[in-house]
Amino acid sequence: MNYNNKKFRVYENSENGETTMETIFEYKQNGNILTSEYSGGQIVRGHLIGLVDDNGKIEMSYHQINTKGELMTGICFSEPELTDNGKIKLYENWKWTSGEKSSGKSVLIEL
């Protein structure tokens, strides 16, 4: 699975998450290294960096500035699924490493 130059939108997120349907992720991949810049909704600017395994699963860390001016950080594990139309859907389990340090789940869909 290669995520290079793919864009994703948040489809679902836990209530304690900050990304919304307005948040767009732009993925870049070089070998097994994945990076992304993202923004929209409550996110002024965010970045993630991660590793992609042979099955397309992603282990990543992220940091972002929200509209309240706060720096938020976390870790995330994503598992891909191919949809009927050939797009990628990512099922994510994440945890804040800042703030309240709670965890949640989200789903992203390739645009």
Side-chain angles (χ1 to χ4, degrees):
M1 178 112 15
N2 192 301
Y3 298 99
N4 195 45
N5 293 322
K6 295 191 183 293
K7 291 184 180 184
F8 291 85
R9 176 186 301 276
V10 176
Y11 182 71
E12 295 176 16
N13 199 359
S14 299
E15 197 172 301
N16 57 329
E18 291 189 334
T19 58
T20 63
M21 290 187 78
E22 291 82 31
T23 310
I24 304 294
F25 292 79
E26 297 185 29
Y27 281 27
K28 300 289 182 193
Q29 185 175 341
N30 187 355
N32 70 331
I33 299 172
L34 179 75
T35 59
S36 177
E37 291 193 15
Y38 58 97
S39 62
Q42 298 177 53
I43 309 300
V44 176
R45 187 151 191 183
H47 299 97
L48 66 81
I49 188 165
L51 294 170
V52 180
D53 75 10
D54 292 338
N55 298 313
K57 293 181 181 178
I58 308 165
E59 177 183 358
M60 69 180 90
S61 295
Y62 60 89
H63 57 257
Q64 60 199 34
I65 304 291
N66 62 27
T67 54
K68 295 184 248 177
E70 300 168 322
L71 171 64
M72 300 296 290
T73 61
I75 56 173
C76 181
F77 298 91
S78 298
E79 189 164 339
E81 171 187 281
L82 279 179
T83 63
D84 291 339
N85 65 359
K87 298 289 186 178
I88 300 169
K89 186 184 274 192
L90 293 172
Y91 295 90
E92 302 189 321
N93 291 295
W94 50 265
K95 179 174 176 50
W96 292 114
T97 55
S98 63
E100 63 184 32
K101 299 197 169 131
S102 62
S103 58
K105 294 179 182 289
S106 56
V107 178
L108 274 61
I109 292 265
E110 181 185 350
L111 298 177

